[in-house]
Amino acid sequence: VHEVIPDGCVSLVYHRNADKTVSWLRVVGPRLVSFRTQVKAGDIFWNARLSPAACRLVLGCAPDSLQNQILLLSQLLPRLVDDLFRQLNASSNFAEAIAAFDSCLSSLELKPAEVDTKVTAAVRFIEASQGQAKIAEVAKAVELSVRQLERRFRAVSGLTPKQFARIRRVRATALALVEDGEVDWASRAAEMGYADQSHLTREFVTVTGRSPVTFAEDIARIKHGNLVK
């Protein structure tokens, strides 16, 4: 059983099993909580994460209607499915999968100028702070009022800036567990901008449904390859 921690993005997810008898393409909407899925030996999962600032432009619908939803890609981007399926089914490694996603998304001929540059800057600001930035600080940095930022951010991403920041901070904490192993929780809470260890635990439970300690125990049993942050 594999736990998928939210990252604040919408993802286009491809899966196939070891003998290629099962394969699918799905859209995973913006999530506020983790979910678990069963993974078997030989399974392959590749996905392209859409920046929160580009979700509405790529999908052509309001991302908040997709919150915590998993849908077939054919329901949202039917003209992308056949070619992307063909290329991903023929891919033998991650590099080839990246090229397939890049090729097919480029075929949509989206215009970068249509992406909200203020939200793009806000996303980068929050990510750079590992979710620790105050929303007032973010709004000031991108020259918007807090209310303007909240409205524009939610419209294109399906999340509020505060929800996105919470997810990024919990995700950064989880990644630190994978990379560092043993953790001094009081020190970790301070490093990640939490008021104290109890605050860290509450936020972690809200997103993952369990304590950081329990999560760390499970993580220690898994051999990880390269981490995509």
Side-chain angles (χ1 to χ4, degrees):
V1 176
H2 181 69
E3 182 164 1
V4 181
I5 296 177
D7 57 13
C9 303
V10 171
S11 292
L12 312 183
V13 183
Y14 167 82
H15 162 65
R16 72 170 182 246
N17 63 1
D19 55 10
K20 298 186 179 182
T21 57
V22 175
S23 62
W24 47 250
L25 272 166
R26 294 179 181 171
V27 176
V28 178
R31 301 188 67 85
L32 299 177
V33 295
S34 300
F35 70 95
R36 295 185 179 188
T37 185
Q38 191 173 57
V39 178
K40 298 180 180 179
D43 278 358
I44 286 176
F45 290 87
W46 289 319
N47 82 87
R49 297 190 297 185
L50 305 180
S51 166
C55 291
R56 188 182 187 102
L57 177 62
V58 175
L59 300 176
C61 68
D64 57 358
S65 67
L66 306 177
Q67 192 175 109
N68 296 322
Q69 300 292 312
I70 301 178
L71 304 172
L72 292 174
L73 183 63
S74 57
Q75 294 176 255
L76 295 172
L77 291 171
R79 66 191 180 107
L80 201 68
V81 172
D82 290 344
D83 195 27
L84 187 54
F85 245 137
R86 178 183 58 77
Q87 292 192 45
L88 289 173
N89 282 335
S91 297
S92 59
N93 56 57
F94 191 36
E96 292 177 0
I98 291 172
F101 276 117
D102 184 55
S103 171
C104 291
L105 287 169
S106 295
S107 72
L108 295 176
E109 298 182 341
L110 303 174
K111 299 177 181 178
E114 296 178 11
V115 177
D116 190 323
T117 56
K118 297 285 189 180
V119 175
T120 299
V123 167
R124 290 173 177 166
F125 193 95
I126 293 169
E127 288 181 338
S129 74
Q130 294 188 314
Q132 297 182 47
K134 303 296 184 183
I135 303 308
E137 295 174 347
V138 181
K140 182 178 181 180
V142 301
E143 300 180 329
L144 291 174
S145 70
V146 170
R147 182 170 293 183
Q148 287 174 322
L149 174 62
E150 289 174 342
R151 177 179 55 79
R152 289 167 65 162
F153 200 103
R154 187 177 188 113
V156 298
S157 73
L159 298 173
T160 67
K162 186 174 181 179
Q163 288 171 331
F164 181 66
R166 168 187 279 176
I167 289 167
R168 296 309 303 186
R169 184 154 60 161
V170 170
R171 187 174 179 85
T173 303
L175 285 166
L177 293 177
V178 175
E179 294 177 320
D180 301 339
E182 294 295 326
V183 175
D184 178 332
W185 290 109
S187 297
R188 178 60 64 190
E191 290 171 7
M192 299 307 298
Y194 293 102
D196 51 33
Q197 185 174 335
S198 295
H199 183 202
L200 182 156
T201 299
R202 287 196 302 273
E203 292 285 275
F204 209 89
V205 170
T206 297
V207 175
T208 70
R210 54 194 175 133
S211 72
V213 174
T214 303
F215 179 83
E217 289 172 349
D218 286 347
I219 285 295
R221 302 188 185 103
I222 301 172
K223 181 179 179 181
H224 294 271
N226 295 327
L227 295 174
V228 178
K229 300 181 180 182

